[in-house]
Amino acid sequence: QQWYSSSMKVICMWLADRLDLQLHIYQLKTLIKIVKKTYRDFRLQGVLEATLNSKTYDTVHSRLTVEEATVSVTDAGGLQGITMKDSDE
């Protein structure tokens, strides 16, 4: 649980440092993959939902979703199917 929380906190701080900058397409793709994989892996390891869906995760998820929407409007095929939306949603 501590490892997951620390990982999300580092990503959140990195995004906060770049709050006034739009992420590059490769940064966005990489972060989406990292956040989704981290979330899924720790969920499979039995980390509690309250820890998984923390305020930090919500902040990261919201920022990446906004960045994703911006890219989809400005760059026609930029993300190539990579999205924050879970495939089981």
Side-chain angles (χ1 to χ4, degrees):
Q1 290 178 350
Q2 204 171 27
W3 190 6
Y4 173 80
S5 296
S6 296
S7 299
M8 285 301 141
K9 199 171 286 186
V10 167
I11 293 170
C12 189
M13 288 184 343
W14 189 85
L15 287 170
D17 288 344
R18 290 150 184 81
L19 195 56
D20 56 340
L21 302 172
Q22 183 178 350
L23 297 177
H24 189 275
I25 187 83
Y26 298 111
Q27 290 174 319
L28 182 58
K29 285 171 139 180
T30 303
L31 283 172
I32 287 173
K33 288 180 181 180
I34 290 170
V35 169
K36 286 177 70 174
K37 178 145 180 53
T38 302
Y39 183 91
R40 285 187 191 130
D41 287 352
F42 280 91
R43 184 178 63 193
L44 288 173
Q45 292 298 320
V47 174
L48 300 174
E49 287 292 320
T51 303
L52 288 173
N53 297 318
S54 65
K55 185 158 180 66
T56 304
Y57 173 76
D58 288 342
T59 302
V60 169
H61 189 277
S62 295
R63 170 71 187 274
L64 294 179
T65 302
V66 168
E67 291 284 344
E68 177 188 335
T70 303
V71 166
S72 69
V73 169
T74 58
D75 189 1
L79 289 176
Q80 300 166 343
I82 297 172
T83 178
M84 280 303 292
K85 186 173 180 173
D86 241 347
S87 57
D88 57 344
E89 286 182 355

